[in-house]
Amino acid sequence: MYVCLCQGVTDGQIRDAIYEGCCSYREVREATGVATQCGKCACVAKQVVRDTLSDVQSAQAALAYPAGFVSA
C-alpha cells in the first residue's frame, strides 16, 4: 500500500529499509524519502516503522535462545 503519495513510497519499501539496516524513523526517512514533502503521511509511516521494528526485535529475541539438545 502506498504510504507516501508525494514520493511514491510503499509500506513494503519502508519494511525493506528496516530489513536492510535502518533502525529508526529518521533513517527510514533518509533512505526512502517518506514524509519529506508535504508530511501528511508521517503518522502512518511512523506506525509502519514501529510495527516492523517490533516484529524484527521479537524475531531476534526468539533466535537469541538456542535450542536445547538431548544426547541419546
Side-chain angles (χ1 to χ4, degrees):
M1 144 183 96
Y2 279 94
V3 173
C4 179
L5 295 176
C6 296
Q7 298 295 331
V9 179
T10 65
D11 60 332
Q13 289 171 307
I14 292 172
R15 287 186 188 94
D16 288 344
I18 292 169
Y19 298 148
E20 292 171 5
C22 291
C23 297
S24 67
Y25 172 70
R26 175 182 279 169
E27 290 178 2
V28 169
R29 187 175 177 197
E30 290 171 2
T32 64
V34 69
T36 57
Q37 196 161 349
C38 78
K40 291 182 180 180
C41 61
C43 289
V44 174
K46 287 177 185 178
Q47 187 62 49
V48 173
V49 169
R50 278 192 295 266
D51 292 347
T52 306
L53 285 173
S54 176
D55 292 346
V56 167
Q57 290 170 350
S58 295
Q60 288 175 346
L63 293 175
Y65 300 104
F69 292 99
V70 178
S71 59

